[in-house]
């Protein structure tokens, strides 16, 4: 396999001893074994391990067909979901597509504009999105594993009504695609009753590990991305992680835990390409929800450089020494701009004549990396060869595998998320949902 994603810890020598690395590898091996033998906590949610090979090929073909139909009959696709039912698709679409995807002409894009809904409870966002769609043709992909999550359920109620008003019930049903549990939940019941085409979130795959199921694949394919290449990338990274005990993914898990044991509280992921913003958001959910439990875990934070060097840069350089940094380094760009000479060098930039933006960006990355190391922020690097679907498939799997290993090293169940339920209970109580009356009264007294 060509390794398009690799892990680089070559600059950690001043922070980490060889003995620490060896000791951590022992723990990482145990954790990897627990993961691969399916013998750890949450082992009924490890379907993602073999997913890149072992997926429903019939459904995969239906996803491509539905995506082609959406591209054919829709000017806009509204993707409704939150958390693991949202972030993977958005991460992929922003990483792989044009920076100004929605602003391209339909001829250039050859796919619908894409908007995300149901990932907040903002009335402003929802009403303005309805305004943006206007009287244009649209389709809806509603995604919810449980089928009962409030944010997407409310957004879907709104867009379902909008579609039915515009197209009539029967035609609207042909434009609504539901991705949910194969048998359970309100969304499944509704989809069956209304005759929507449905796609399945497998029982053994949790939301944050679901990007390579229909959850991610349909909205990704709808933008014209080659999902075969995406799956192939993941399959190749899977094969590498299975065959190589100390794979790059394994070593990333080991180094995270070395720094955690040294007392670091935060892992800061940084990137130098705006297309990575939602990769970092997806990564934050993956690691935050997997490891942040039992009063343990690194807090996953992210910054977009060089933008945030002008906001958070000061803190990283000189604030409390609580973090290590993992840089996502995209090694080749899709296109660039060359800096031209000016006859009079008023802005003082003629020394860059003939250089392109990638050169400047790379110097920023390397300079920042060394500056942070010099101020006691250990730096790890994830090198990513390019912005292709194949490479992204490798990247998704690289992180998922590392997260499974790292979670077991930490001694938590990396596949549950009990803490997510607490806010929901309070919100339902305050909303007056039937069954929550007593809690509602008690909460109101505290407010
Ligand atoms: O990773 C998770 O399990 C969560 O982030 C869920 O994906 C999120 O809460 C949405 O849940 P659902 O898909 O059931 O609507």
């Amino acid at each position: 396999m060509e390794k398009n994603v690799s892990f680089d810890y070559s600059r950690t020598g001043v922070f980490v001893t060889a003995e620490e690395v060896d000791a951590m590898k022992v723990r990482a091996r145990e954790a990897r074994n627990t993961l691969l033998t399916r013998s750890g906590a949450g082992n009924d949610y490890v379907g993602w391990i073999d997913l890149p090979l072992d997926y429903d090929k019939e459904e995969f073909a239906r996803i491509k067909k539905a995506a082609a139909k959406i591209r054919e009959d829709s000017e806009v696709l509204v993707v409704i979901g939150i958390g693991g039912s949202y972030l993977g698709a958005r991460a992929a679409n922003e990483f792989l597509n044009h920076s100004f995807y929605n602003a391209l002409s339909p001829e250039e894009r050859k796919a619908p504009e894409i908007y995300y809904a149901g990932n907040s409870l903002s009335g402003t966002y929802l009403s303005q999105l309805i305004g943006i769609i206007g009287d244009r043709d649209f389709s809806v992909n509603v995604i919810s594993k449980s089928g009962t999550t409030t944010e997407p359920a409310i957004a879907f109620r709104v867009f379902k009504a909008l579609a039915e008003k515009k197209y009539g019930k029967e035609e609207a049903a042909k434009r609504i695609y539901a991705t949910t549990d194969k048998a359970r939940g309100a969304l499944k019941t509704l989809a069956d009753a209304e005759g929507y085409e449905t796609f399945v979130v497998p029982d053994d795959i949790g939301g944050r590990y679901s990007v390579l199921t229909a959850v991610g694949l349909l909205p990704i394919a709808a933008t014209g991305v080659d999902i075969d290449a995406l799956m192939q990338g993941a399959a190749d990274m899977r094969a590498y992680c299975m065959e190589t005990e100390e794979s790059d993914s394994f070593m990333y898990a080991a180094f995270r835990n070395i720094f955690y044991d040294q007392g670091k509280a935060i892992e800061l992921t940084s990137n130098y390409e705006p297309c990575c913003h939602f990769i970092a958001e997806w990564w934050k959910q993956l690691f935050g929800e997997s490891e942040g439990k039992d009063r343990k875990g690194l807090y996953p934070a992210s910054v977009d450089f060089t933008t945030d060097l002008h906001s958070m840069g000061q803190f990283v350089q000189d604030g409390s020494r609580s973090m290590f940094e993992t840089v996502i380094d995209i090694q080749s760009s899709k296109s660039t701009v060359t800096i031209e000479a000016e006859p009079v060098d008023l802005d003082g930039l003629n020394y860059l004549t003939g250089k392109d933006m990638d050169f400047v960006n790379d110097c920023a990355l390397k300079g920042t990396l060394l500056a942070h190391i010099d101020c006691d922020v250990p730096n790890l690097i994830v090198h990513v060869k390019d912005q292709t679907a194949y490479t992204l498939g490798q990247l998704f799997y690289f992180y998922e595998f590392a997260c499974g290993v790292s979670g077991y090293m930490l001694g938590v169940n990396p596949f549950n998320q009990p803490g997510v339920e607490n806010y929901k209970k309070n919100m339902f109580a305050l909303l007056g949902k039937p069954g929550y009356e007593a809690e509602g009264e008690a909460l109101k007294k505290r407010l």
Side-chain angles (χ1 to χ4, degrees), residues 12 16 84 116 125 174 224 267 285 353 371 385 393:
T12 54
V16 175
Y116 301 89
Y125 181 94
K174 295 181 188 157
E267 177 177 10
Q285 189 206 357
T353 300
K385 186 181 168 202

Side-chain angles (χ1 to χ4, degrees), residues 82-85 143-147 149 152 207-208 285 289 417 424:
I82 194 166
S85 292
I143 309 165
S144 177
K145 182 173 182 175
S146 63
T149 307
R208 58 192 175 276
Q285 189 206 357
E289 225 173 59
Q417 54 286 327
K424 289 186 193 168

Side-chain angles (χ1 to χ4, degrees), residues 81-87 143-153 179-180 201 206-210 215 285 289 415-417 420-421 423-424:
I82 194 166
S85 292
Y86 155 62
L87 286 165
I143 309 165
S144 177
K145 182 173 182 175
S146 63
T148 55
T149 307
T150 309
E151 291 89 337
T179 307
T180 188
V201 191
R208 58 192 175 276
Y209 292 85
S210 70
V215 169
Q285 189 206 357
E289 225 173 59
F415 305 115
N416 67 359
Q417 54 286 327
V420 177
E421 297 309 311
Y423 97 91
K424 289 186 193 168

Side-chain angles (χ1 to χ4, degrees), residues 183-301:
R184 283 173 304 218
L187 180 56
K188 175 64 181 161
T189 309
L190 199 157
D192 286 347
E194 302 284 5
Y196 305 149
E197 178 159 19
T198 56
F199 298 95
V200 171
V201 191
D203 283 342
D204 57 356
I205 299 181
R208 58 192 175 276
Y209 292 85
S210 70
V211 61
L212 299 174
T213 70
V215 169
L217 293 176
L218 179 56
I220 295 170
T223 68
V225 165
D226 179 355
I227 56 171
D228 287 293
L230 186 72
M231 293 305 275
Q232 189 58 52
D236 287 352
M237 182 55 83
R238 176 195 168 279
Y240 163 68
C241 290
M242 299 298 129
E243 286 157 15
T244 311
E245 188 170 63
E246 293 179 10
S247 66
D248 289 42
S249 188
F250 170 101
M251 290 306 294
Y252 173 49
F255 269 84
R256 301 181 80 248
N257 282 279
I258 289 174
F259 291 128
Y260 182 67
D261 280 7
Q262 286 183 357
K264 299 295 185 197
I266 299 164
E267 177 177 10
L268 182 69
T269 274
S270 62
N271 70 77
Y272 289 75
E273 288 290 343
C275 72
C276 290
H277 177 81
F278 272 93
I279 294 287
E281 295 301 311
W282 173 84
W283 168 86
K284 283 196 285 196
Q285 189 206 357
L286 181 65
F287 281 88
E289 225 173 59
S290 297
E291 293 196 323
K293 49 198 72 156
D294 307 338
R295 302 291 190 263
K296 293 197 269 193
L298 284 161
Y299 183 83

Side-chain angles (χ1 to χ4, degrees), residues 7-21 255 258-259 262 369-370 373-374 376-381:
F7 176 62
D8 179 354
Y9 54 93
S10 61
R11 290 172 185 83
T12 54
V14 286
F15 304 106
V16 175
T17 64
E19 290 71 33
E20 276 178 297
V21 177
F255 269 84
I258 289 174
F259 291 128
Q262 286 183 357
L369 183 104
L370 295 177
I373 289 172
D374 288 344
D376 293 329
V377 177
N379 265 241
L380 305 169
I381 310 175

